[in-house]
Amino acid sequence: MIRNDRKIAIALLLLAVAFAAFFWKFGDYKVEPQQMASDSIFSHQKSARSKRPTQYYATESQKVERFPFDPNTADSTQLLRLGLQPWQVRNIYKYRANGGIYRQKEDFARLYGLTVKQYRELEPYIRISSDYLPASTLVGRKRETVERDTLRYPVKIQENEHVVLNTADTTQLKKVPGIGSYYASEIIRHGQRLGGFVNVDQLDEIENFPKDAKQYFVIANAHPKRMNINRLTLQQLRRHPYINFYQAKAITDYRRLHGDIKSIDELRLSKDFTDEAIHRLEPYIEY
């Protein structure tokens, strides 16, 4: 009886060893070298993709154009040509789809992301169709309505027409292509500070002034306002755009040491007055 139990125990032990050997040989999952290489490459590519910044869309850079447009009817192609971003174009479409209407030029300035510089450049080209104006504008005589619209949306002059720079008011200035209310006011303000324009290129001194608009201006019988540099104080001299603090001080110091200035050539003795500075200032001073 004891011998039979021993045989049974030995048989069970051998059976357990056989099972263990079977699972040891066939139970493990072997990875082939090619599969290991493939998994390694895939893992590397996945890691690289996770580090790469997400690109939602890409747009081709294109030259910004300027032409008349109505923000109530302009399509996406026109708006992109004007230099607007795709997401700004989508905002315009959403605004119009929800019943929004641009009734005046200033309404377009509310476009999200539009900078002051962009609006100043686009403002002269915005044309709001009369179909989108309030119906109350129809009340009254036709002549009055036409005159009111002409003042609000001036007709631009042709290429062969010109505006006299020193005598034009803001209404005439806004008839120049590329000139709206802002630049018309800036032209008047800068001309007053100078004492009058003597050269059309002086318009470049206005920040971001549209260079294409200069061809429509002419200087006729320029008589700039002159300032007596022997009578003005340092603070009064500084008010002129062509005289800075150091130049004004050089003038007052020279007068204190040498008496009245009798010729512009005397200013050349100061290091603060270059040939260019003297050339710009000469039409505006007297002795």
Side-chain angles (χ1 to χ4, degrees):
M1 187 70 179
I2 294 174
R3 185 178 299 175
N4 291 336
D5 292 340
R6 187 179 299 171
K7 291 180 179 179
I8 293 173
I10 292 172
L12 291 174
L13 180 60
L14 292 174
L15 184 61
V17 172
F19 272 107
F22 177 82
F23 282 108
W24 178 80
K25 184 175 182 180
F26 300 102
D28 290 342
Y29 176 76
K30 293 184 178 182
V31 180
E32 296 296 332
Q34 293 180 351
Q35 183 177 358
M36 291 177 63
S38 175
D39 291 346
S40 177
I41 293 173
F42 176 75
S43 176
H44 176 72
Q45 292 176 343
K46 183 177 180 181
S47 176
R49 284 197 301 269
S50 64
K51 295 179 181 179
R52 188 181 305 163
T54 304
Q55 296 182 354
Y56 295 98
Y57 52 79
T59 57
E60 296 182 359
S61 59
Q62 59 180 2
K63 181 180 179 181
V64 176
E65 302 177 42
R66 292 288 178 259
F67 52 85
F69 72 100
D70 188 337
N72 290 305
T73 58
D75 58 27
S76 59
T77 302
Q78 293 174 313
L79 295 172
L80 290 172
R81 285 169 56 199
L82 290 166
L84 298 178
Q85 297 299 317
W87 52 271
Q88 290 177 310
V89 175
R90 287 199 299 272
N91 288 340
I92 293 175
Y93 270 69
K94 290 179 181 178
Y95 177 74
R96 297 192 314 207
N98 292 329
I101 296 176
Y102 298 96
R103 300 187 183 278
Q104 54 187 355
K105 293 183 178 183
E106 290 76 10
D107 293 341
F108 192 71
R110 299 191 181 97
L111 177 64
Y112 180 76
L114 191 68
T115 65
V116 173
K117 178 181 177 181
Q118 288 175 314
Y119 176 73
R120 288 174 180 172
E121 293 177 351
L122 291 173
E123 189 259 348
Y125 299 95
I126 299 175
R127 304 287 188 272
I128 306 295
S129 172
S130 58
D131 294 340
Y132 297 97
L133 295 176
S136 59
T137 59
L138 297 175
V139 179
R141 293 179 300 175
K142 181 178 180 180
R143 179 180 177 183
E144 293 177 351
T145 304
V146 172
E147 289 178 352
R148 181 164 57 251
D149 289 346
T150 301
L151 291 174
R152 190 172 183 179
Y153 309 106
V155 178
K156 299 296 184 179
I157 62 177
Q158 302 299 317
E159 292 185 0
N160 59 343
E161 297 180 302
H162 298 89
V163 170
V164 179
L165 189 55
N166 284 316
T167 58
D169 56 19
T170 54
T171 301
Q172 294 172 310
L173 291 172
K174 286 191 290 185
K175 293 181 180 180
V176 175
I179 302 299
S181 300
Y182 171 79
Y183 284 117
S185 299
E186 286 297 296
I187 291 172
I188 297 294
R189 186 183 68 84
H190 191 58
Q192 290 174 344
R193 291 186 63 206
L194 286 172
F197 292 95
V198 295
N199 193 311
V200 173
D201 289 333
Q202 289 176 293
L203 292 172
D204 292 329
E205 297 165 7
I206 300 174
E207 185 179 5
N208 300 321
F209 188 84
K211 297 185 181 299
D212 292 341
K214 292 197 302 180
Q215 61 181 309
Y216 296 96
F217 293 104
V218 294
I219 303 291
N221 299 323
H223 297 289
K225 183 179 179 181
R226 295 177 180 268
M227 54 182 173
N228 192 317
I229 59 175
N230 289 318
R231 299 292 177 264
L232 300 180
T233 64
L234 185 147
Q235 295 299 328
Q236 291 172 328
L237 290 169
R238 287 185 57 194
R239 293 173 186 170
H240 197 277
Y242 293 163
I243 300 179
N244 58 35
F245 171 80
Y246 299 101
Q247 291 170 332
K249 190 173 186 304
I251 292 174
T252 55
D253 287 346
Y254 186 92
R255 289 183 341 211
R256 178 170 51 83
L257 296 173
H258 304 284
D260 288 349
I261 298 173
K262 299 178 177 60
S263 170
I264 196 170
D265 291 331
E266 297 179 45
L267 298 179
R268 298 181 189 274
L269 301 175
S270 172
K271 64 179 181 179
D272 295 300
F273 284 95
T274 63
D275 290 340
E276 180 183 358
I278 290 176
H279 177 72
R280 290 198 311 169
L281 185 60
E282 186 173 10
Y284 298 100
I285 62 174
E286 62 182 9
Y287 317 98

